Amino acid sequence: MAEVLLENVSRTFGGFTAVDDVDLRVAAGEFVTLLGPSGCGKTTTLRMVAGLEETTGGRISIGRRVVSEPARNIHLAPDRRQLGMVFQSYAIWPHMRVFDNVAYPLQVRRRPAAEIRERVERALRLVEMERFADRPAPALSGGQQQRVAIARAMVFEPEVLLLDEPLSNLDARLRTQMGDEFRSLQKRLGITTLYVTHDQDEAMALSDRIVVMRGGRILQIGAPTEIYQRPNSEAVASFLGAPNLLDATVTGIEATPSDPSRFTVQGDGWQGVACGNQPFACGQSVRVLARPEDLRIGPIASDADATWRGEVIASVFRGARRSLRLRTSAGELHFEVPALTEARVGDMMQIEAARSSLWAVAPG
Ligand SMILES: Nc1ncnc2c1ncn2[C@@H]1O[C@H](COP(=O)(O)OP(=O)(O)O)[C@@H](O)[C@H]1O
Ligand SMILES: [Mg+2]
């Protein structure tokens, strides 16, 4: 399997910069996801790797081969890049059998029948669909259809698989199931994968690393836990999950440096200890990220990093959990607590944050 390397890659359309100076290395066998809101440049980036879109700056390499570099007039055609592609719009064809769906890319290239048969069978075996070769495509479940689409992408034994929102047409349950299935297939085959989605849950569940993009630029690259727990900016913090962001001032810095650093912070009517990996100074304003699932209500625990009070203004039972909204001196906060937590609208509650759960970022 090959690595994919993007160096200072840009794409402009007229005066508009859709992808701005992107640097990214996808290691061989790695699953990397481009995540960001609609219009942030995910598809354009993927299409440049595929060769479907020309780059206007920088260099893209697949394995040891430079496939795009405008400064040297290099732009390899898509079919010379050893890639497999699965796009949302590349659904499988309902009027064909499974075999013909997978054989199609080989047939249009007029490969000999014996080679077609052998390659299709191998691709179907990879996704454990060889028994379904003669089925009409509509007789398959959504998950099976997805596997056929992947088999078709794999029929040329690509070095790299590119997927653009391949699950976004499906309902939530199927999306989760097929995402999990695809992830285990990708791990088993060890195929280098660049995946695009605007769905943060999907990105976190599937990826080795996530690239958070906004406005054509990369905001942060990291493992899902890193992106979620240690965002480098307010923009990344607020893009993942639905966090509470509290205004506070740094009042002290823990004497012995640790990773991440710990600070005492003072907010409006509350104080606590927050972690962070930026070099904050005393007196500096910060935004403190408090995840709804890390906030608890009830008695004060001796090891709590922050405590304050609030009034319950909304309480919604959701089966496994309960969503609460509390009015506090630091503004309205939302909580995700165990469903059986006793909390009625109007109750005054003591609030605490789980130890080391508060995370400080620079405002903005
Ligand atoms: N062919 C094009 N001509 C002009 N603008 C484009 C073209 N393709 C994409 N764009 C613009 O580039 C930006 C990024 O688009 P895209 O990569 O499709 O975003 P995403 O996939 O993240 O939703 C958008 O503002 C889009 O309108
Ligand atoms: Mg897109």
Side-chain angles (χ1 to χ4, degrees), residues 11 13 16-19 36-45 53 164-165 196:
R11 170 72 211 198
F13 295 107
F16 174 74
T17 304
V19 175
S38 178
C40 73
K42 306 180 296 293
T43 294
T44 304
T45 304
E53 195 80 71
D164 192 351
E165 314 243 5
V196 160

Side-chain angles (χ1 to χ4, degrees), residues 274-289:
C275 300
N277 54 13
Q278 283 157 289
F280 297 120
C282 276
Q284 193 172 339
S285 295
V286 290
R287 299 274 275 164
V288 175
L289 170 70

Side-chain angles (χ1 to χ4, degrees), residues 97-106 120 123-124 148 151-152 155:
R97 293 178 312 149
V98 166
F99 183 95
D100 302 310
N101 261 283
V102 179
Y104 186 79
L106 301 164
V120 171
L124 286 175
V148 173
R152 191 175 51 194
V155 82

